[in-house]
């Protein structure tokens, strides 16, 4: 069990830009991580289990639906507070952040944004307090980067819809109480449906064998003639833009989250470089190691500034999808580079579970792929700046 000595790093005095509430939110999550999560996270990752007892703590801190209004059980916080929560969670483990971001941005957000008032009242408070966990089914075996090609579909049977198809790679699926499922109607238009675990014909087999994101449960969603009540259709938005709108919110959370990974690895490597002696002096005294550390904090600082500005734009409702793609892509590449350099600074110790670095390294292999791959986000930026669509 490792002792969590993490200290935040704020080279450009970004804290001065945060409100008292934002700092309080961040510090609350950080304290909870140190006390309740860091002591168990390596073990959970080795066993490949999501520690379900953490759900209560996540809910109590407002990590489920941070920006959902209080009247629906959310924490009513702003977008920068949401980002800071994701950063502190992912500083500990990407799987932990995944659970919170799926619940918030991929389950609560679509119900809040596209749902009826009855759906908001029925589902949001239970999702906010962690009584129910949700998952988000967009990806299919043959449609990952191209979700518009999905084949999962539903038919109008008069008094209900009949849903058929398969989703895969779905975070939280094996234990979720509800799933937000994206499927085509008979005209080929994509809609969101709320599918509940006990509906007949619905199953959620777990997927095993992941070397990455081991603290997050992943599974399939199988729909075999599932009867979905008509009132479970999200009525207020349809088309591919509906699920992609949710992804904007989740991708924004990831842009913040992976800064946490970079900060954790920088923090560990900096401390180690001052303690580890070789050739009669701390390795941090060698110019090669200083170069690594100096470049790490430079890249972290640039990502912090980029992401804070994105948060301001989100708060004003002005952030574009392409700006979010740029931040997700840039920050993950930044974090991957820093994790790799930190591992080298730690020498052989860097490959052990006494340090979080290899776990973070493996986790980032999922984070760079889900919510739109690195390539897809580059093409979104390319499309935005040239006006030419590489996907068509
Ligand atoms: P395209 O024709 O460009 O767009 C279709 C409609 O969608 C609109 N749109 C968006 N709306 C909101 N937000 C966005 N980010 C949007 N991007 C596009 C667009 O305006 C259009 O609207 P309309 O009204 O004209 O119909 O769509 P396309 O088929 O060419 O695809 C574009 C592309 C490739 C960028 C998109 O399909 C994409 O982003 N692909 C990546 C798929 C992806 O990210 N999947 C993620 C699955 S969920 C997940 O990974 C969860 S991980 C959870 C965890 O554990 O944290
Ligand atoms: P593919 O789309 O097959 O891509 C393979 C390669 O081809 C990639 O390098 C990609 O960049 C490249 N490529 C594809 N299209 C193009 C193109 N037009 N031009 C250039 N290169 C291209 N999905 C959900 O719906 N819900 C979830 O909760 C969820 N959780 C996940 C959890 C984990 C741990 C993982 C790993 C994935 C999860 N996903 C989830 C799925 C994830 O969103 C997809 O894996 C991702 O969108 C990529 O799809 P794919 O794996 O099918 O790759």
């Amino acid at each position: 069990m490792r002792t969590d000595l993490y200290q935040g790093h704020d080279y450009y005095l970004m804290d001065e830009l945060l409100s008292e509430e934002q700092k309080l939110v961040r510090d609350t999550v950080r304290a909870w991580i140190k006390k309740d999560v860091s002591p168990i996270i390596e073990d959970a990752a080795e066993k490949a289990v999501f520690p379900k007892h953490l759900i209560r703590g996540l809910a109590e801190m407002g990590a489920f639906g941070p920006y959902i209004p209080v009247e629906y059980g959310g924490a009513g916080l702003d977008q920068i507070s949401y980002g800071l929560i994701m950063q502190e969670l992912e500083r500990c483990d990407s799987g932990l952040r995944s659970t919170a971001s799926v619940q918030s941005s991929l389950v609560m957000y679509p119900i809040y944004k596209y749902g009826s008032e009855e759906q908001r009242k029925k589902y949001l408070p239970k999702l906010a307090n962690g009584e129910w966990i949700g998952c988000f089914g967009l990806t299919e075996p043959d449609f990952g980067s191209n979700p518009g090609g999905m084949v999962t579909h539903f038919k109008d049977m008069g008094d209900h819809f009949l849903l058929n198809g398969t989703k895969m790679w779905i975070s939280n699926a094996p234990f979720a109480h509800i799933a937000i499922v994206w499927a085509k109607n008979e005209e080929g238009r994509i809609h969101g449906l709320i599918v509940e675990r006990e509906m007949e014909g619905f199953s959620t087999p777990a997927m095993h064998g992941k070397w990455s994101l081991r603290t997050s449960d992943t599974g399939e969603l199988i729909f075999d003639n599932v009867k979905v009540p008509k009132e479970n259709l999200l009525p207020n938005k349809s088309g591919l833009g509906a699920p992609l709108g949710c992804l904007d919110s989740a991708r924004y959370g990831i842009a913040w989250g992976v800064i946490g990974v970079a900060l954790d690895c920088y923090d560990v490597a900096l401390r180690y470089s001052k303690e580890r002696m070789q050739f009669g002096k701390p390795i941090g005294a060698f110019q090669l190691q200083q170069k690594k550390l100096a470049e790490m904090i430079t890249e972290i600082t640039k990502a912090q500034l980029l992401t804070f500005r994105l948060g301001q734009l989100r708060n004003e409702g002005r952030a574009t999808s392409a700006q979010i793609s740029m931040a997700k892509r840039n920050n993950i590449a930044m974090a991957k580079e820093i994790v790799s350099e930190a591992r080298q600074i730690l020498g052989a110790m860097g490959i052990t579970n006494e340090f979080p670095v290899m776990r973070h390294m493996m986790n980032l292999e999922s984070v760079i792929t889900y919510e739109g791959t690195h390539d897809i986000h580059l093409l979104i930026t390319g499309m935005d700046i040239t006006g030419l669509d590489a996907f068509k």
Side-chain angles (χ1 to χ4, degrees):
M1 188 190 295
R2 92 184 145 104
T3 310
D4 186 347
L5 300 171
Y6 175 73
Q7 293 180 317
H9 297 274
D10 182 20
Y11 203 72
Y12 260 46
L13 311 184
M14 301 283 293
D15 262 22
E16 292 177 9
L17 303 178
L18 300 180
S19 68
E20 288 310 311
E21 181 180 67
Q22 289 162 346
K23 283 188 272 192
L24 181 66
V25 166
R26 180 197 58 195
D27 294 347
T28 303
V29 181
R30 188 174 297 175
W32 177 75
I33 291 284
K34 285 192 173 210
K35 181 170 155 293
D36 288 350
V37 194
S38 293
I40 60 155
I41 201 70
E42 291 295 343
D43 189 48
E46 276 178 35
K47 292 183 177 141
V49 291
F50 169 63
K52 294 200 185 62
H53 71 275
L54 298 178
I55 287 172
R56 177 190 288 250
L58 286 165
E60 282 172 1
M61 288 183 312
F64 293 155
Y67 54 82
I68 299 291
V70 175
E71 63 176 304
Y72 298 112
L77 296 168
D78 77 318
Q79 288 290 318
I80 290 175
S81 300
Y82 165 49
L84 288 165
I85 293 173
M86 296 300 127
Q87 181 174 295
E88 293 303 316
L89 295 178
E90 193 147 8
R91 197 281 295 175
C92 178
D93 191 83
S94 299
L96 188 66
R97 193 270 306 137
S98 250
T99 297
S101 56
V102 168
Q103 182 88 340
S104 302
S105 289
L106 299 183
V107 179
M108 295 177 72
Y109 177 85
I111 293 174
Y112 173 63
K113 207 71 184 167
Y114 315 141
S116 65
E117 192 54 23
E118 293 71 35
Q119 289 168 342
R120 289 188 194 124
K121 285 190 175 132
K122 177 175 176 186
Y123 295 104
L124 291 177
K126 286 195 167 74
L127 291 161
N129 71 20
E131 193 178 332
W132 284 350
I133 292 293
C135 66
F136 177 89
L138 181 65
T139 305
E140 299 188 357
D142 293 328
F143 299 95
S145 297
N146 176 26
M150 68 174 68
V151 291
T152 297
H153 61 280
F154 61 96
K155 272 191 183 156
D156 189 335
M157 306 301 282
D159 61 342
H160 65 272
F161 296 123
L162 202 62
L163 177 65
N164 279 287
T166 303
K167 302 285 178 180
M168 78 182 292
W169 290 112
I170 308 304
S171 302
N172 300 348
F175 65 98
H177 300 83
I178 64 166
I180 303 294
V181 178
W182 301 96
K184 285 180 176 166
N185 67 10
E186 285 145 286
E187 287 78 49
R189 182 93 182 149
I190 294 172
H191 287 267
L193 297 166
I194 307 172
V195 177
E196 300 185 10
R197 172 161 294 283
E198 43 288 336
M199 289 179 182
E200 216 178 307
F202 176 39
S203 57
T204 62
M207 296 172 67
H208 298 289
K210 296 190 324 261
W211 285 113
S212 170
L213 220 73
R214 290 170 65 80
T215 63
S216 167
D217 283 357
T218 313
E220 293 176 67
L221 304 176
I222 299 175
F223 314 103
D224 180 10
N225 286 323
V226 179
K227 281 185 181 176
V228 182
K230 286 202 154 169
E231 65 264 24
N232 283 29
L233 180 120
L234 298 175
N236 296 331
K237 189 160 169 93
S238 64
L240 186 58
L244 292 178
C246 308
L247 293 179
D248 274 357
S249 181
R251 291 166 176 173
Y252 166 76
I254 291 175
W256 279 91
V258 293
I259 296 176
V261 173
L263 282 166
D264 199 38
C265 293
Y266 170 71
D267 182 69
V268 162
L270 179 63
R271 198 172 312 109
Y272 191 84
S273 75
K274 292 192 262 187
E275 290 166 359
R276 175 70 175 166
M277 303 291 289
Q278 287 295 292
F279 299 95
K281 54 182 182 178
I283 57 168
F286 295 114
Q287 289 181 5
L288 277 175
Q289 306 312 318
Q290 288 191 5
K291 177 175 186 290
K292 290 190 178 89
L293 292 162
E295 285 178 352
M296 282 184 193
I297 193 62
T298 306
E299 292 307 313
I300 288 172
T301 304
K302 283 154 68 179
Q304 285 172 325
L305 289 163
L306 175 84
T307 313
F308 182 82
R309 176 63 184 147
L310 185 64
Q312 288 180 322
L313 291 173
R314 291 273 299 171
N315 275 342
E316 294 165 10
R318 292 198 293 141
T320 66
S321 300
Q323 286 168 338
I324 295 168
S325 282
M326 180 184 281
K328 188 221 179 222
R329 184 173 187 277
N330 178 77
N331 292 5
I332 293 172
M334 175 279 295
K336 268 175 72 77
E337 186 62 26
I338 285 173
V339 172
S340 171
E341 295 285 74
R343 207 221 59 68
Q344 290 190 59
I345 290 175
L346 296 178
M349 290 308 292
I351 69 156
T352 72
N353 64 3
E354 285 193 40
F355 293 93
V357 181
M358 279 294 283
R359 180 168 47 79
H360 282 314
M361 186 184 279
M362 293 192 295
N363 282 343
L364 288 180
E365 294 300 323
S366 290
V367 183
I368 200 168
T369 291
Y370 67 31
E371 306 265 9
T373 67
H374 205 54
D375 298 329
I376 292 297
H377 289 294
L378 178 130
L379 293 174
I380 291 172
T381 305
M383 177 163 57
D384 195 48
I385 58 179
T386 64
L388 304 170
D389 186 341
F391 302 109
K392 301 283 190 272

